[in-house]
Amino acid sequence: MNFSYSPKVDALRSRLSAFFDEHIFPNEQRYLEEIEIARRNGDAWQPSQVIERLKPLAQQAGLWNLFLPDSGRGAGLTNVEYAPLCEIMGQVPWAPEVFNCNAPDTGNMETLERYATDAQKAQWLEPLLRGEIRSAFLMTEPDVASSDATNVQCRIRREGDDYVVNGRKWWSTGAGDPRCALYIVMGKTDPDAPKHAQQSMILIPADAKGVSRVRPLSVFGYDDAPHGHMEIVLDDVRVPASNLLLGEGRGFEIAQGRLGPGRIHHCMRLIGLAERALALMCQRTLSRVAFGKPIAAQGVTRERIGEARCLIEQARLLTLKAAYMMDTVGNKAARAEIAMIKVVAPNMACQVIDWAIQAHGAAGLSGDFPLAYAYASARTLRFADGPDEVHRNAIAKLELAKYASPNAG
């Protein structure tokens, strides 16, 4: 496995890092202030003008749609090549949208790229690639344990040339954005089919009759406006049968194909977030004196800084291995590595950010530094795209299978 940067990736890294220094970091506080002003004015759910002003600059710099592998629509990077770029973008939670590389749009665009018809691509994928609209992925439900995706109760029922959809979804990330025009919805078309053939996925316009956004859900007090995580009710929502993706009973298959790249993208961004936290920790502890010497000279601080560097490097190498396997042997063969990094990276990031918060004292809990919001963002990713427990269980099954007796059972 060779993880050295190609000249193409090295050039993109340099341009992306320069863009962050010139445009992202200087606007970090301005972004938060803009949302707070909008909130005081009674509507935080409006597109960020900071982000909207930066998008054309990102396009001009050739830093747009970097995530799409093997496609003429994006940069044509492999997963290994995209990893260091995704890591840079992950340093600031809102930054990926500037480059049209933000979740859940990336996962939804990859889903449409792989599974949509030409007509569906023309209607939804093209405007998403241009950054003209946003999208959401509706799978999780409040009334069932959604860690088991086969539990979904949302019903997709065929009626003539249409499908009628009924259900309640929540944690629908991105659905708070007024530009969110498309929901990719997972529901059951045949509850009597085999367990993994009951589900289907269907495209629902966000403004379809019967769609209600009930409320935004907060994460440790953050509502993530203007992006948001919404609870949504689908009440007799009727759409053409042509809106179904791939065919009835293919929903679980699509979900598995969608979540593989999405999971590793989250991990890449988390490594960038942890790197940022470690940098802030080092800067803070070098500049503050306690008990007669810099905090950086205290033994516990050095212990944590050293351990943080080890944890980040370990997570990065495992992420790159998973990316390499996805590129060379495919997502299915890399499923153990994808599951492992999905456990390792969020836990690593939470620990490193927590140490950085501790090093900042009470200031680390405030909005004066990006650490509290970074922690909230990282902590959610121990649930998003499957909780730790599900991934650990999958890893254990694969491990046990290596030693199971061929005559067992």
Side-chain angles (χ1 to χ4, degrees):
M1 290 176 279
N2 181 6
F3 298 145
S4 60
Y5 304 132
S6 68
K8 177 181 180 180
V9 172
D10 220 15
L12 284 168
R13 284 181 70 248
S14 296
R15 294 212 307 270
L16 195 54
S17 294
F19 194 98
F20 263 71
D21 290 339
E22 185 175 356
H23 299 295
I24 302 295
F25 294 136
N27 278 298
E28 201 166 6
Q29 195 61 34
R30 192 170 302 153
Y31 171 85
L32 298 174
E33 291 168 355
E34 176 187 86
I35 294 172
E36 186 55 36
I37 290 170
R39 185 173 284 111
R40 284 196 225 108
N41 291 335
D43 189 6
W45 303 95
Q46 292 301 319
S48 163
Q49 292 308 301
V50 168
I51 291 178
E52 293 307 301
R53 285 194 297 269
L54 294 180
K55 283 180 179 178
L57 300 180
Q59 288 177 292
Q60 292 165 19
L63 301 172
W64 191 256
N65 289 338
L66 297 171
F67 68 96
L68 273 180
D70 303 321
S71 171
R73 303 170 187 271
L77 301 172
T78 65
N79 285 297
V80 168
E81 289 174 325
Y82 181 57
L85 307 177
C86 197
E87 179 180 324
I88 293 170
M89 288 185 278
Q91 294 175 97
V92 176
W94 54 263
E97 187 186 340
V98 172
F99 312 97
N100 214 37
C101 292
N102 58 298
D105 288 327
T106 48
N108 290 340
M109 285 187 269
E110 287 169 336
T111 297
L112 293 169
E113 174 80 14
R114 289 179 181 177
Y115 304 116
T117 64
D118 288 342
Q120 290 167 343
K121 289 178 183 179
Q123 184 176 4
W124 301 114
L125 178 58
E126 295 303 331
L128 277 168
L129 287 167
R130 293 192 294 268
E132 296 169 355
I133 62 172
R134 304 259 65 89
S135 62
F137 184 62
L138 278 59
M139 183 168 72
T140 305
E141 298 179 3
D143 297 329
V144 296
S146 298
S147 54
D148 178 357
T150 62
N151 276 341
V152 296
Q153 297 298 302
C154 176
R155 285 287 278 117
I156 303 173
R157 189 180 70 256
R158 182 73 182 252
E159 285 191 6
D161 294 331
D162 297 332
Y163 281 102
V164 178
V165 185
N166 283 279
R168 181 180 290 264
K169 300 287 186 178
W170 70 346
W171 296 107
S172 302
T173 302
D177 193 316
R179 298 163 302 171
C180 183
L182 171 67
Y183 299 154
I184 300 181
V185 180
M186 184 163 175
K188 285 189 176 178
T189 41
D190 185 359
D192 299 320
K195 187 176 181 181
H196 292 92
Q198 299 176 5
Q199 306 81 16
S200 301
M201 283 198 193
I202 196 161
L203 307 176
I204 295 182
D207 62 356
K209 184 179 179 182
V211 172
S212 302
R213 289 189 304 177
V214 177
R215 58 171 177 149
L217 297 152
S218 63
V219 179
F220 293 123
Y222 296 102
D223 62 11
D224 277 343
H227 198 53
H229 313 276
M230 309 299 285
E231 183 172 350
I232 296 173
V233 169
L234 306 167
D235 184 12
D236 283 338
V237 178
R238 185 178 293 271
V239 294
S242 58
N243 282 28
L244 199 71
L245 276 179
L246 207 56
E248 288 195 11
R250 309 288 294 276
F252 200 83
E253 172 189 346
I254 297 170
Q256 291 301 101
R258 180 192 186 279
L259 292 174
R263 284 171 178 149
I264 198 165
H265 293 171
H266 279 316
C267 296
M268 294 167 181
R269 285 189 286 263
L270 282 166
I271 292 166
L273 198 59
E275 284 281 11
R276 180 87 188 288
L278 179 56
L280 291 169
M281 182 180 179
C282 290
Q283 292 161 9
R284 180 76 169 184
T285 56
L286 284 167
S287 66
R288 292 280 168 136
V289 174
F291 307 107
K293 58 183 178 180
I295 296 172
Q298 307 287 348
V300 67
T301 302
R302 292 192 172 190
E303 177 77 13
R304 288 173 177 174
I305 289 172
E307 185 65 14
R309 172 49 61 204
C310 292
L311 292 173
I312 291 171
E313 294 300 326
Q314 290 167 355
R316 179 183 289 115
L317 285 171
L318 184 54
T319 301
L320 288 171
K321 182 193 177 187
Y324 171 83
M325 291 186 67
M326 291 168 72
D327 289 336
T328 55
V329 295
N331 294 3
K332 186 174 181 180
R335 63 191 183 279
E337 284 71 18
I338 294 171
M340 282 187 273
I341 195 56
K342 186 58 180 60
V343 173
V344 168
N347 281 278
M348 174 278 295
C350 284
Q351 180 61 82
V352 172
I353 296 166
D354 184 72
W355 283 334
I357 289 172
Q358 201 70 15
H360 281 70
L365 303 172
S366 75
D368 292 355
F369 293 90
L371 294 168
Y373 183 55
Y375 183 86
S377 300
R379 186 60 182 84
T380 65
L381 291 174
R382 289 183 58 196
F383 290 106
D385 293 349
D388 291 358
E389 293 81 359
V390 168
H391 292 300
R392 284 194 174 100
N393 186 58
I395 295 162
K397 282 183 177 179
L398 291 169
E399 196 67 18
L400 289 166
K402 298 176 186 177
Y403 304 98
S405 167
N407 299 318

